[in-house]
Amino acid sequence: MGLNPALRPSHGFIDIPVVGALSGSVSSNTFGMKDVIHIIDSDGNFYNSNKLYNRLKRDNRLNVNLNADLFSIGFYTGKHFWTLSVGLRSDINASIPRSMFDYARDFHSPETGTTGSYRIESLSFNANAYAELGAGYSRAIGDKLIVGGKFKILLGLANVKMNIDELSITEGGTYSELVTKGELSVAMRGVSVKKLN
């Protein structure tokens, strides 16, 4: 539960797994809701939209946060109200340079076709997944005051981190050449992989 722990129902509860509490948020320094709707309505042809292209910045950031309760329960013991919850949380952050959109725009353009050379710098992606364990408590003090608190523990499940310093793409019509310089690391509980170029 993400509510104020001092807010409590008149009876105990059990959440339906995932459906009981599912939330998410998306933020960007470039795109707004109208842009997302435009991309969905464009039938995959949004690369050629000047309206969308002109809004791009040199560094376009996108952040996505998703939270889901796997199980949560609330119950009374006398005047005391307790909550216990187990959930999953994921945070995704990406930094996409304008040059990446230049490549996508030219590659899908009938004028330029599938030939050309592109240099893309400072492309990054970072994703984290956690298990979230929570315990909450609240108690009424008198008729007009309820106090409460919640304690949470985050357990790291997985991390994917990619930083590309330089990506060179050459499209020759019948062939493609890709040269990268950067770092990729993947870590999960008990497993760690790191690749350096």
Side-chain angles (χ1 to χ4, degrees):
M1 285 179 57
L3 299 176
N4 183 333
L7 297 175
R8 55 189 193 168
S10 56
H11 301 285
F13 67 87
I14 296 179
D15 264 351
I16 299 173
V18 181
V19 178
L22 182 64
S23 64
S25 65
V26 179
S27 62
S28 173
N29 68 334
T30 303
F31 303 112
M33 185 57 70
K34 290 182 179 179
D35 298 312
V36 174
I37 294 172
H38 177 68
I39 291 173
I40 294 171
D41 291 341
S42 67
D43 293 328
N45 197 32
F46 64 90
Y47 302 103
N48 297 319
S49 170
N50 289 326
K51 181 179 179 182
L52 184 64
Y53 182 79
N54 291 335
R55 290 175 55 85
L56 295 174
K57 295 178 170 56
R58 183 176 181 181
D59 180 26
N60 303 278
R61 298 186 178 273
L62 179 67
N63 305 301
V64 179
N65 306 102
L66 300 172
N67 299 286
D69 269 4
L70 298 181
F71 175 78
S72 63
I73 186 172
F75 56 92
Y76 280 92
T77 56
K79 296 182 179 179
H80 312 281
F81 183 70
W82 303 86
T83 59
L84 300 172
S85 64
V86 178
L88 291 177
R89 173 178 168 181
S90 61
D91 302 317
I92 302 170
N93 305 295
S95 176
I96 308 169
R98 183 184 176 113
S99 53
M100 189 72 182
F101 291 93
D102 290 335
Y103 165 68
R105 183 180 173 95
D106 288 349
F107 187 76
H108 290 86
S109 171
E111 287 82 15
T112 57
T114 56
T115 60
S117 297
Y118 303 89
R119 181 176 174 178
I120 300 166
E121 298 178 333
S122 302
L123 174 66
S124 66
F125 175 84
N126 189 27
N128 294 294
Y130 310 93
E132 184 178 271
L133 309 177
Y137 169 79
S138 67
R139 187 178 196 277
I141 300 176
D143 296 330
K144 297 183 178 180
L145 179 63
I146 298 175
V147 295
K150 191 163 189 177
F151 179 74
K152 289 185 179 182
I153 297 175
L154 292 178
L155 303 174
L157 298 178
N159 171 264
V160 177
K161 186 175 182 181
M162 178 185 71
N163 288 310
I164 296 179
D165 299 320
E166 183 178 329
L167 172 63
S168 297
I169 303 173
T170 302
E171 296 288 354
T174 57
Y175 71 92
S176 297
E177 183 181 20
L178 194 81
V179 179
T180 64
K181 180 182 178 183
E183 178 181 1
L184 171 66
S185 62
V186 179
M188 294 184 291
R189 293 194 72 78
V191 178
S192 181
V193 178
K194 190 170 185 179
K195 173 69 176 174
L196 288 171
N197 286 332

